[in-house]
Amino acid sequence: MPITDVFVALADPRQTNKVQHSLAETLTVAVCGILVGADTFEEIQAWAQEK
């Protein structure tokens, strides 16, 4: 099962017209960033931009 599928069932409380990425995609990137050693939002963002 792809990790993204785990988050698809979560309700997204954000305003749909103000988001660029789905909640499932955002959470998947965050989890993967943490798994590779990122400790802050900035580190997660830097890792995601590299990938």
Side-chain angles (χ1 to χ4, degrees):
M1 168 188 293
I3 191 169
T4 307
D5 290 350
V6 174
F7 300 119
V8 171
L10 295 176
D12 191 347
R14 303 174 298 168
Q15 295 176 355
T16 56
N17 60 338
K18 294 184 178 182
V19 298
Q20 292 181 343
H21 304 285
S22 74
L23 182 62
E25 290 173 350
T26 303
L27 292 174
T28 299
V29 169
V31 168
C32 290
I34 291 167
L35 289 174
V36 299
D39 292 323
T40 65
F41 292 122
E42 291 80 11
E43 290 177 355
I44 293 169
Q45 179 183 9
W47 172 81
Q49 288 174 335
E50 285 181 25
K51 299 300 171 191

